[in-house]
Amino acid sequence: MIFCSKAMSDEELLNWRDTGPFILCQDSKDPRFSTVSIPHHEAFRRGLDFLIGKGHRKIAIGLVRKHGVNSHFRLAAYQEALEAIGEPYRDEWVFERSLTITDGQKLFSKWSRMDEKPTAVFVANDQVSAGFYLEAKKHHVDVPGTLAILSCDNQPISEVLGISTIEIKTKEMGRHAFRLLQNRIKGEEPEKQVVSYRLIERSTV
């Protein structure tokens, strides 16, 4: 079985290991799992440093959930980046449940009601970024002058809307995941595969 994402711990999942091999599309230090992942901490820090290099210091982030494995790395990168520029960590500037275009619209609504507004928002997927961007344009907010938006994934919608993003090579990850599954079915030992990423600068930063 291939897990594209999971909320349960590795220890809980191991209770089911007799049902067949598991492939995780996220990092795990447990040597009993084959994994395919990107270096989320490095990639997220790269995006944050890109925003900082553009002059932003008031930066918020949007995550699916705070307690996921990938979110753990992203939060650590966020806290480190803020510390490096002498900015405080503000829990209210970490938006959760960021998954859909509708969530992006809701995220803009939260941003617009803030007394002190972040000048940049780094969102963990393109669907949310698209909803956020479209709502900002609907309300005549200058992007990127007043508000910069950086995303992750590089789905077609980000290219159509001109959203700057960190490309996550999901098709390559899928190919590796199936290869690792085939190898495990053959009885081969677990393997760790890391996939590269790249920052694509468009018009929203």
Side-chain angles (χ1 to χ4, degrees):
M1 182 178 292
I2 296 173
F3 285 83
C4 295
S5 179
K6 67 180 180 68
M8 69 171 60
S9 67
D10 289 352
E11 291 74 20
E12 290 176 297
L13 188 56
L14 283 169
N15 293 329
W16 301 89
R17 64 180 178 271
D18 291 339
T19 61
F22 294 144
I23 310 301
L24 307 183
C25 292
Q26 60 186 44
D27 189 35
S28 171
K29 301 304 181 186
D30 195 306
R32 291 168 288 185
F33 288 114
S34 284
T35 65
V36 54
S37 64
I38 71 159
H40 281 282
H41 182 282
E42 178 186 317
F44 213 68
R45 182 60 190 268
R46 172 73 180 91
L48 291 163
D49 288 342
F50 171 64
L51 291 172
I52 292 166
K54 293 289 186 177
H56 296 282
R57 300 178 66 86
K58 308 297 184 183
I59 303 169
I61 62 171
L63 305 171
V64 176
R65 55 180 178 270
K66 289 183 181 178
H67 303 294
V69 172
N70 296 339
S71 293
H72 167 78
F73 294 119
R74 288 167 171 166
L75 273 171
Y78 180 53
Q79 291 169 331
E80 290 169 11
L82 291 176
E83 183 177 358
I85 59 172
E87 287 290 330
Y89 171 83
R90 313 180 199 206
D91 194 58
E92 65 272 20
W93 283 15
V94 179
F95 302 107
E96 283 192 277
R97 299 178 178 86
S98 298
L99 188 61
T100 67
I101 286 181
T102 302
D103 292 333
Q105 293 173 309
K106 293 176 182 177
L107 179 57
F108 176 81
S109 180
K110 291 178 182 177
W111 177 87
S112 65
R113 294 195 304 268
M114 288 180 164
D115 292 328
E116 184 180 5
K117 293 178 175 60
T119 63
V121 180
F122 188 3
V123 185
N125 80 62
D126 289 334
Q127 295 295 317
V128 177
S129 296
F132 189 48
Y133 171 77
L134 291 171
E135 201 70 5
K137 300 300 283 186
K138 177 181 175 182
H139 288 82
H140 309 292
V141 173
D142 180 10
V143 179
T146 301
L147 171 65
I149 302 170
L150 181 61
S151 188
C152 287
D153 285 344
N154 194 33
Q155 296 175 7
I157 195 168
S158 69
E159 183 176 4
V160 170
L161 296 177
I163 297 173
S164 299
T165 189
I166 301 282
E167 182 180 45
I168 309 298
K169 299 176 182 178
T170 52
K171 290 184 179 179
E172 184 177 339
M173 290 182 71
R175 287 192 291 269
H176 283 303
F178 274 97
R179 177 183 59 80
L180 293 174
L181 180 61
Q182 290 173 334
N183 290 346
R184 293 292 286 131
I185 290 171
K186 295 174 185 176
E188 296 183 16
E189 292 298 311
E191 178 185 344
K192 309 293 185 184
Q193 179 73 51
V194 178
V195 176
S196 64
Y197 65 91
R198 67 180 175 127
L199 189 151
I200 300 174
E201 184 174 0
R202 297 187 175 119
S203 63
T204 57
V205 177

